[in-house]
Amino acid sequence: MTAVTSPDAVTEPRPPAPPPPVGPPPVDAAPHRTLGLVPSASLLAGGALAAVWFWVPLTLLIVAISSIPSVIGFLLAGMVFIYVMRAVGYLERVRSEAVFGMGIGVPPRRRSHYTGFQGWAHQLWLDVSSARFWLSTAHHYLRMLYDATATALALALLTFAFLAPAAAIAIGHSDPDAGLRFLPTPVAFVLAVLAVIAAGAVVVFAPALDARIDRWLLPPSPTAALQYEVSALADARAGAVTSAQTERHRIERDLHDSVQPRLVSLAMTIGLAQTKLDTDLPVAKALIAEAHDDAKNALVELRNVVRGIAPTILSDRGLDAALSSVVQRANNSGVPTTLNVHLPRRLPDEVEACAYFVVAEALTNVTRHAGATTASVTVRLDEDTNRLHVTVFDDGHGGARVTDSENATGLRGLDERVRAARGTFAVSSPATGPTIVTAELPCGS
């Protein structure tokens, strides 16, 4: 089976790539509009929804707290509360963009480095313990209370504007002996007109404060962004250190297990040939021929080791061509493998090297351990988020996972390498298969 590559991949030499951007994306949080039909409609809709929606997350939180002794009820209610508030935070950003035209950046979110159920549970804990989560919750309730208050005030003023003149007229025509008192009719009409104007002013101008609440609580705070950046850099540095150590141990192991024995055999064969040159020339010639074969095999082994350090084809012709070479080796080893690549441009060296090693190591595991009948590699650059998505799939038996075992350094090394590039790495491999290895890498702009 042949590899399928993208026709628009670029293979010419590249200029030096800019470094990846540091920190959260720039935030354009200045409102483009705070007056108009859309902001006013958003205010009124928020006030109407607050009458019901205000109690939904609050009820979930109360149920979770009151269910602490039962543990299961606490966990279920807490899990639903977290998911609801995460969805609310997303919807609030969409609403702010649609209503006020504000490009509010998404706050940095810490990602779990675990996989499977442990990764899911750890991610929930990271979310609920983050300032980002509670800041979004505070924004939601503050905006809801404000919208409900402004809507209720406007409704109360309109109610007064319609009822005050009618009450003044009715009481003015009632029996004086009944003892009913109200505003004089002219005063009631004047106040009614003022109430209508005030209600209109509330509906028209109140969204300006709504936009300020969004700007205050929705964007990531400078402190939170800085803390996240420090944590991400520390994690990347730790990943780089451990990745370098793992790579050094791999090179040492490969040299010790492959190249060194061949060189030792070569030296012994040449030594035997020297002893036979004067006494048995045909045997000496045979030994020299054997030494020549050993030298060629040693060169092949050495090239394989060097290829694992820095494949020349990657720097010369790009990631598309380098992956095609890796997939071709997988095809030659007996596992039909397809390659789908979408790379409209060259990427930074670090990103291309990381993606190459993810695919190379994953396919090596497939050919050696998976017992697969087919495999596929997908590499796609998402230009909207400027992130590279790498996926390696095989239909063999599963059970692959990232462990700390000294005998299972392949996937752990990939996880460390991807973390060093400030990306995310995951392995999905149930016991019966299939296995899916995914990596997501940030790219320079």
Side-chain angles (χ1 to χ4, degrees):
M1 184 172 295
T2 58
V4 180
T5 58
S6 172
D8 53 354
V10 181
T11 58
E12 64 269 9
R14 80 187 103 171
V22 176
V27 177
D28 177 19
H32 296 172
R33 56 178 179 274
T34 56
L35 304 179
L37 180 61
V38 174
S40 297
S42 173
L43 176 79
L44 297 176
L49 290 174
V52 177
W53 181 247
F54 178 86
W55 302 102
V56 175
L58 190 60
T59 301
L60 288 172
L61 187 60
I62 293 173
V63 169
I65 295 174
S66 62
S67 302
I68 290 178
S70 67
V71 180
I72 295 178
F74 168 72
L75 293 177
L76 289 177
M79 179 183 66
V80 174
F81 173 76
I82 294 171
Y83 276 109
V84 166
M85 295 315 299
R86 276 173 49 181
V88 166
Y90 170 77
L91 292 176
E92 287 292 343
R93 294 179 187 282
V94 174
R95 176 199 59 81
S96 181
E97 171 65 25
V99 173
F100 302 117
M102 290 193 289
I104 296 179
V106 179
R109 181 188 181 196
R110 291 186 61 191
R111 296 282 186 176
S112 174
H113 58 275
Y114 297 107
T115 58
F117 176 81
Q118 185 181 9
W120 171 78
H122 187 232
Q123 187 62 59
L124 286 181
W125 169 250
L126 291 178
D127 287 339
V128 78
S129 61
S130 66
R132 155 196 171 124
F133 179 84
W134 294 108
L135 200 65
S136 176
T137 302
H139 165 268
H140 176 62
Y141 271 97
L142 180 60
R143 195 189 65 82
M144 250 197 326
L145 288 173
Y146 174 72
D147 288 356
T149 301
T151 302
L153 177 60
L155 184 61
L157 289 171
L158 289 177
T159 302
F160 175 82
F162 283 105
L163 295 182
I169 293 173
I171 293 175
H173 289 82
S174 64
D175 186 358
D177 297 332
L180 297 176
R181 295 288 185 271
F182 195 64
L183 295 172
T185 300
V187 175
F189 273 101
V190 172
L191 292 178
V193 172
L194 293 177
V196 171
I197 295 174
V202 169
V203 173
V204 171
F205 295 105
L209 183 55
D210 225 348
R212 286 185 173 272
I213 294 175
D214 287 354
R215 293 185 65 189
W216 179 31
L217 291 177
L218 276 184
S221 67
T223 302
L226 181 60
Q227 290 175 344
Y228 173 81
E229 186 60 33
V230 170
S231 176
L233 289 174
D235 188 58
R237 179 181 179 276
V241 172
T242 53
S243 176
Q245 292 174 344
T246 301
E247 186 67 12
R248 187 177 68 251
H249 291 322
R250 183 193 68 81
I251 295 171
E252 291 174 353
R253 184 179 66 249
D254 289 348
L255 290 175
H256 180 273
D257 295 344
S258 60
V259 180
Q260 180 177 324
R262 292 193 180 277
L263 293 178
V264 171
S265 175
L266 174 63
M268 293 177 61
T269 304
I270 293 175
L272 288 174
Q274 285 179 328
T275 63
K276 298 292 183 179
L277 280 175
D278 295 331
T279 60
D280 195 343
L281 189 57
V283 173
K285 289 182 179 180
L287 289 173
I288 292 174
E290 182 180 343
H292 182 251
D293 291 336
D294 286 342
K296 290 191 293 184
N297 291 331
L299 285 174
V300 171
E301 296 288 351
L302 190 57
R303 288 194 191 99
N304 290 334
V305 174
V306 172
R307 184 184 294 117
I309 301 173
T312 305
I313 189 174
L314 181 63
S315 57
D316 292 345
R317 299 176 55 193
L319 183 59
D320 191 353
L323 293 182
S324 297
S325 176
V326 173
V327 168
Q328 187 60 46
R329 290 202 300 269
N331 284 322
N332 294 337
S333 67
V335 181
T337 305
T338 60
L339 172 65
N340 294 282
V341 178
H342 175 69
L343 292 177
R345 57 181 171 83
R346 289 296 297 267
L347 304 176
D349 292 348
E350 179 187 18
V351 176
E352 289 194 344
C354 189
Y356 171 85
F357 285 115
V358 166
V359 174
E361 180 65 29
L363 287 183
T364 298
N365 289 339
V366 171
T367 56
R368 291 181 179 177
H369 311 297
T373 60
T374 183
S376 66
V377 177
T378 302
V379 179
R380 176 179 59 86
L381 176 63
D382 187 342
E383 295 190 87
D384 293 332
T385 60
N386 205 21
R387 298 179 74 85
L388 184 69
H389 299 267
V390 181
T391 304
V392 181
F393 167 89
D394 73 83
D395 63 354
H397 55 76
R401 61 185 184 275
V402 180
T403 67
D404 294 329
S405 171
E406 293 296 329
N407 298 322
T409 59
L411 292 178
R412 187 176 76 243
L414 290 183
D415 180 50
E416 293 163 353
R417 189 186 289 272
V418 171
R419 283 195 297 115
R422 303 188 62 183
T424 57
F425 181 79
V427 179
S428 173
S429 184
T432 57
T435 298
I436 303 175
V437 176
T438 58
E440 185 177 325
L441 302 165
C443 303
S445 58

